[in-house]
Amino acid sequence: MRPLSPSPPYDDAHARGLTKLMRPFLNAGLDDGESEVVQAIGLWLPAGPSDYAIPDLCIVDADFEEHLVENNCYAPPVFRLVLEVTSSNHENDLRGKVRAYGNAKVPVYVIVDRRHNRLHVLTDPVADGYDTHRVHAPGELVTLPESIGAKVTLDVAEILRAASPRTA
């Protein structure tokens, strides 16, 4: 199986959005102490000897570097949350990575769905996916499970705006 990583380079809104999307997690203290907020590190997947994904944004245990598997990929148990901002390969984020992250038992998967202007929050991993999948629209506030290490509430409109291209 090929790695579940983006094919083309990120667009400017995707890159800028990731920086802004870090703020609620940083403000909640998730980058100090028992966890860290990181971008684009490898998540070793249980499907095979060379199967991995590179999530856009992650909340990981602070000692994640002690759990290196190989090829700069880390063991799934250190991942508390993964977040993807959809790009041209949005179907991969909405389908393939749902299965992959569910099988890896990543507790929380957040998808910033720029194509459909929604925020997906998936929790309770099961084989080939997640037991709970909630879709949120602009105007909603979403509180993520405190299992990530702190109380984090996301403003859906603000999150989508942060990851959207600037208008001329």
Side-chain angles (χ1 to χ4, degrees):
M1 182 174 185
R2 294 179 53 206
L4 294 170
S5 60
S7 301
Y10 297 136
D11 60 48
D12 58 338
H14 188 282
R16 186 182 316 103
L18 281 175
T19 300
K20 292 179 180 180
L21 290 170
M22 291 177 65
R23 291 178 184 157
F25 301 105
L26 297 173
N27 291 340
L30 288 170
D31 199 48
D32 299 314
E34 296 181 9
S35 61
E36 289 192 37
V37 180
V38 294
Q39 292 185 27
I41 64 167
L43 165 60
W44 194 257
L45 297 172
S50 62
D51 197 14
Y52 62 92
I54 304 171
D56 291 333
L57 182 69
C58 307
I59 308 300
V60 293
D61 292 344
D63 69 347
F64 77 95
E65 293 169 313
E66 296 173 21
H67 301 275
L68 178 67
V69 177
E70 62 181 82
N71 297 328
N72 295 320
C73 295
Y74 300 90
V78 302
F79 289 79
R80 298 176 182 198
L81 173 144
V82 294
L83 182 146
E84 298 282 2
V85 175
T86 59
S87 296
S88 60
N89 61 349
H90 69 279
E91 289 298 323
N92 193 31
D93 294 330
L94 295 169
R95 290 197 175 87
K97 289 184 181 180
V98 169
R99 285 190 299 280
Y101 297 153
N103 285 334
K105 298 189 180 356
V106 175
V108 181
Y109 177 26
V110 176
I111 306 167
V112 180
D113 185 349
R114 298 189 302 171
R115 175 171 272 191
H116 301 105
N117 205 38
R118 306 185 277 209
L119 184 78
H120 300 254
V121 178
L122 295 86
T123 58
D124 309 312
V126 295
D128 291 330
Y130 285 83
D131 199 35
T132 305
H133 181 167
R134 293 201 165 83
V135 180
H136 303 277
E140 292 183 59
L141 296 177
V142 178
T143 301
L144 299 175
E146 289 191 39
S147 64
I148 65 172
K151 183 177 180 179
V152 176
T153 300
L154 303 176
D155 180 322
V156 176
E158 186 176 305
I159 294 295
L160 291 166
R161 188 171 31 258
S164 295
R166 292 182 180 170
T167 56

